[in-house]
Amino acid sequence: MKWLTQLFTNTTTSENKLEMKKFLIVGLGNIGAEYVNTRHNIGFKILDFVAQQHGLSFETAKLGAITEYSVKGRKLILLKPNTYMNLSGKAVHYWMEKENIAKENVLVITDDLNLPFGTIRIKGKGSDGGHNGLKNIQLILNSTEYPRFRFGISDEFKKGQQVDYVLGEWTEAEKNKLPERYEMAQQIIESFALAGLNNTMNSFNGK
Protein backbone atom coordinates (compact mmCIF):
# COMPACT_ATOMS: atom_id res chain seq x y z
CA MET A 1 0.00 0.00 0.00
CA LYS A 2 3.07 2.27 -0.06
CA TRP A 3 2.19 3.37 -3.59
CA LEU A 4 -1.25 4.49 -2.37
CA THR A 5 0.23 6.69 0.34
CA GLN A 6 2.58 8.29 -2.15
CA LEU A 7 -0.34 9.22 -4.39
CA PHE A 8 -1.64 11.72 -1.87
CA THR A 9 1.65 13.52 -1.22
CA ASN A 10 2.50 16.93 -2.67
CA THR A 11 2.51 17.33 -6.43
CA THR A 12 5.91 17.71 -8.08
CA THR A 13 6.75 20.59 -10.39
CA SER A 14 7.02 18.32 -13.42
CA GLU A 15 3.57 16.86 -12.75
CA ASN A 16 2.09 20.35 -12.56
CA LYS A 17 3.29 21.00 -16.10
CA LEU A 18 1.42 18.05 -17.57
CA GLU A 19 -1.91 18.58 -19.24
CA MET A 20 -4.66 17.44 -16.91
CA LYS A 21 -6.21 14.07 -17.65
CA LYS A 22 -9.96 14.12 -17.10
CA PHE A 23 -12.18 11.62 -15.32
CA LEU A 24 -15.96 11.53 -15.07
CA ILE A 25 -17.20 10.28 -11.70
CA VAL A 26 -20.92 9.53 -11.85
CA GLY A 27 -23.00 9.00 -8.73
CA LEU A 28 -26.37 7.43 -9.52
CA GLY A 29 -29.54 8.44 -7.71
CA ASN A 30 -32.95 10.07 -8.03
CA ILE A 31 -33.65 13.76 -7.64
CA GLY A 32 -36.31 14.95 -5.21
CA ALA A 33 -36.52 15.43 -1.45
CA GLU A 34 -38.28 12.08 -0.98
CA TYR A 35 -35.21 10.22 -2.30
CA VAL A 36 -32.40 12.10 -0.57
CA ASN A 37 -31.62 9.63 2.21
CA THR A 38 -32.65 6.41 0.49
CA ARG A 39 -30.40 3.44 -0.19
CA HIS A 40 -30.83 3.92 -3.94
CA ASN A 41 -29.18 7.35 -3.68
CA ILE A 42 -25.83 6.21 -2.31
CA GLY A 43 -24.13 7.45 -5.49
CA PHE A 44 -25.39 10.99 -4.86
CA LYS A 45 -24.43 10.80 -1.18
CA ILE A 46 -20.86 9.72 -1.91
CA LEU A 47 -20.34 12.58 -4.36
CA ASP A 48 -21.89 15.03 -1.88
CA PHE A 49 -19.35 13.86 0.70
CA VAL A 50 -16.42 14.23 -1.69
CA ALA A 51 -17.55 17.71 -2.71
CA GLN A 52 -17.92 18.74 0.92
CA GLN A 53 -14.40 17.53 1.76
CA HIS A 54 -13.03 19.75 -1.00
CA GLY A 55 -15.23 22.75 -0.19
CA LEU A 56 -17.17 22.40 -3.44
CA SER A 57 -20.80 22.94 -4.33
CA PHE A 58 -22.73 21.44 -7.21
CA GLU A 59 -24.15 23.61 -9.97
CA THR A 60 -27.15 22.71 -12.09
CA ALA A 61 -26.09 22.00 -15.66
CA LYS A 62 -27.48 20.09 -18.61
CA LEU A 63 -28.86 16.71 -17.51
CA GLY A 64 -27.37 16.92 -14.03
CA ALA A 65 -25.54 18.66 -11.22
CA ILE A 66 -21.81 19.16 -11.77
CA THR A 67 -18.71 20.15 -9.86
CA GLU A 68 -15.02 19.45 -10.37
CA TYR A 69 -11.62 19.52 -8.68
CA SER A 70 -8.04 18.55 -9.45
CA VAL A 71 -5.67 16.11 -7.78
CA LYS A 72 -2.05 15.74 -8.89
CA GLY A 73 -2.64 16.71 -12.50
CA ARG A 74 -5.97 14.89 -12.83
CA LYS A 75 -9.29 16.66 -13.20
CA LEU A 76 -12.23 14.89 -11.59
CA ILE A 77 -15.65 15.92 -12.86
CA LEU A 78 -18.39 14.84 -10.45
CA LEU A 79 -21.81 14.27 -12.01
CA LYS A 80 -25.17 13.64 -10.35
CA PRO A 81 -27.64 12.99 -13.21
CA ASN A 82 -31.02 14.70 -12.85
CA THR A 83 -32.70 12.38 -15.36
CA TYR A 84 -33.90 9.95 -12.67
CA MET A 85 -32.25 6.56 -12.35
CA ASN A 86 -33.85 4.87 -15.37
CA LEU A 87 -32.41 7.43 -17.81
CA SER A 88 -28.94 7.82 -16.29
CA GLY A 89 -27.22 6.86 -19.54
CA LYS A 90 -28.40 10.02 -21.26
CA ALA A 91 -26.50 12.22 -18.80
CA VAL A 92 -23.42 10.00 -18.78
CA HIS A 93 -23.19 10.00 -22.56
CA TYR A 94 -23.71 13.75 -22.84
CA TRP A 95 -20.91 14.61 -20.39
CA MET A 96 -18.54 12.03 -21.84
CA GLU A 97 -19.01 13.68 -25.24
CA LYS A 98 -18.86 17.24 -23.92
CA GLU A 99 -15.65 16.68 -21.95
CA ASN A 100 -14.15 14.18 -24.40
CA ILE A 101 -13.75 11.48 -21.75
CA ALA A 102 -13.22 7.85 -22.76
CA LYS A 103 -15.18 5.00 -21.17
CA GLU A 104 -12.15 3.76 -19.26
CA ASN A 105 -11.98 7.12 -17.46
CA VAL A 106 -15.61 6.98 -16.33
CA LEU A 107 -16.46 5.57 -12.89
CA VAL A 108 -20.15 4.90 -12.13
CA ILE A 109 -21.12 4.62 -8.45
CA THR A 110 -24.23 2.64 -7.64
CA ASP A 111 -26.02 0.65 -4.96
CA ASP A 112 -25.98 -3.15 -5.09
CA LEU A 113 -28.51 -5.46 -3.44
CA ASN A 114 -26.26 -8.47 -3.96
CA LEU A 115 -23.53 -7.24 -1.61
CA PRO A 116 -23.62 -6.99 2.20
CA PHE A 117 -24.07 -3.47 3.54
CA GLY A 118 -21.05 -1.26 2.91
CA THR A 119 -19.12 -3.88 0.94
CA ILE A 120 -17.12 -2.46 -1.96
CA ARG A 121 -16.83 -4.04 -5.39
CA ILE A 122 -15.04 -2.27 -8.24
CA LYS A 123 -15.04 -3.76 -11.74
CA GLY A 124 -14.01 -2.65 -15.21
CA LYS A 125 -16.96 -4.27 -16.95
CA GLY A 126 -19.92 -6.52 -16.29
CA SER A 127 -23.66 -6.94 -16.50
CA ASP A 128 -26.18 -4.46 -15.15
CA GLY A 129 -27.06 -6.88 -12.35
CA GLY A 130 -30.70 -5.88 -12.64
CA HIS A 131 -29.93 -2.26 -11.78
CA ASN A 132 -31.99 0.11 -13.93
CA GLY A 133 -29.38 2.85 -13.90
CA LEU A 134 -26.64 0.55 -15.16
CA LYS A 135 -29.08 -0.99 -17.61
CA ASN A 136 -29.73 2.38 -19.23
CA ILE A 137 -26.05 3.32 -19.29
CA GLN A 138 -25.27 0.04 -21.02
CA LEU A 139 -28.04 0.70 -23.54
CA ILE A 140 -26.94 4.27 -24.35
CA LEU A 141 -23.21 3.50 -24.48
CA ASN A 142 -23.85 0.19 -26.27
CA SER A 143 -21.25 -1.38 -24.02
CA THR A 144 -20.81 -3.21 -20.73
CA GLU A 145 -17.14 -2.19 -20.59
CA TYR A 146 -16.99 0.82 -18.31
CA PRO A 147 -15.71 0.94 -14.70
CA ARG A 148 -18.28 0.75 -11.95
CA PHE A 149 -18.07 1.03 -8.16
CA ARG A 150 -20.81 -0.96 -6.45
CA PHE A 151 -21.74 -0.17 -2.86
CA GLY A 152 -23.50 -2.97 -1.01
CA ILE A 153 -26.89 -2.21 0.52
CA SER A 154 -27.66 -5.90 1.35
CA ASP A 155 -30.92 -7.67 0.63
CA GLU A 156 -32.57 -7.64 4.05
CA PHE A 157 -36.12 -7.39 2.80
CA LYS A 158 -39.10 -9.73 2.66
CA LYS A 159 -40.47 -11.15 -0.56
CA GLY A 160 -42.25 -8.52 -2.62
CA GLN A 161 -40.72 -5.61 -0.70
CA GLN A 162 -37.63 -4.94 -2.81
CA VAL A 163 -38.80 -1.57 -4.16
CA ASP A 164 -39.77 -0.31 -0.70
CA TYR A 165 -36.42 -1.48 0.67
CA VAL A 166 -34.30 0.12 -2.06
CA LEU A 167 -36.26 3.36 -1.84
CA GLY A 168 -36.30 3.20 1.95
CA GLU A 169 -33.96 4.98 4.34
CA TRP A 170 -30.96 3.52 6.13
CA THR A 171 -31.35 1.94 9.56
CA GLU A 172 -29.76 3.71 12.51
CA ALA A 173 -27.01 1.08 12.63
CA GLU A 174 -26.25 1.65 8.96
CA LYS A 175 -26.26 5.44 9.37
CA ASN A 176 -23.60 5.12 12.07
CA LYS A 177 -21.33 3.20 9.73
CA LEU A 178 -21.79 5.38 6.64
CA PRO A 179 -19.24 8.13 7.46
CA GLU A 180 -16.36 5.65 7.43
CA ARG A 181 -17.66 4.18 4.17
CA TYR A 182 -17.86 7.66 2.63
CA GLU A 183 -14.21 8.26 3.51
CA MET A 184 -13.19 5.04 1.84
CA ALA A 185 -15.31 5.89 -1.19
CA GLN A 186 -13.39 9.14 -1.60
CA GLN A 187 -10.11 7.22 -1.44
CA ILE A 188 -11.41 4.87 -4.13
CA ILE A 189 -12.44 7.70 -6.43
CA GLU A 190 -9.10 9.46 -6.16
CA SER A 191 -7.16 6.20 -6.44
CA PHE A 192 -9.06 5.42 -9.64
CA ALA A 193 -7.88 8.70 -11.16
CA LEU A 194 -4.33 8.53 -9.83
CA ALA A 195 -3.41 4.84 -9.74
CA GLY A 196 -5.76 3.33 -12.28
CA LEU A 197 -8.50 0.75 -12.18
CA ASN A 198 -6.44 -2.39 -11.52
CA ASN A 199 -4.52 -0.99 -8.56
CA THR A 200 -7.74 0.38 -7.12
CA MET A 201 -9.51 -2.95 -7.45
CA ASN A 202 -6.61 -4.74 -5.79
CA SER A 203 -6.52 -2.28 -2.89
CA PHE A 204 -10.22 -1.87 -2.11
CA ASN A 205 -12.33 -4.75 -3.39
CA GLY A 206 -14.06 -6.62 -0.59
CA LYS A 207 -13.36 -3.98 2.05
Side-chain angles (χ1 to χ4, degrees), residues 25-29 42-44 47 79-81 107-110:
I25 313 299
V26 185
L28 298 187
I42 188 63
F44 278 15
L47 293 196
L79 168 66
K80 298 191 295 182
L107 181 66
V108 178
I109 306 169
T110 181

Side-chain angles (χ1 to χ4, degrees), residues 119-139:
T119 300
I120 302 300
R121 183 162 298 164
I122 305 150
K123 297 178 70 177
K125 60 182 179 179
S127 71
D128 56 61
H131 191 284
N132 288 333
L134 297 182
K135 192 175 296 183
N136 188 249
I137 292 170
Q138 177 179 324
L139 175 67

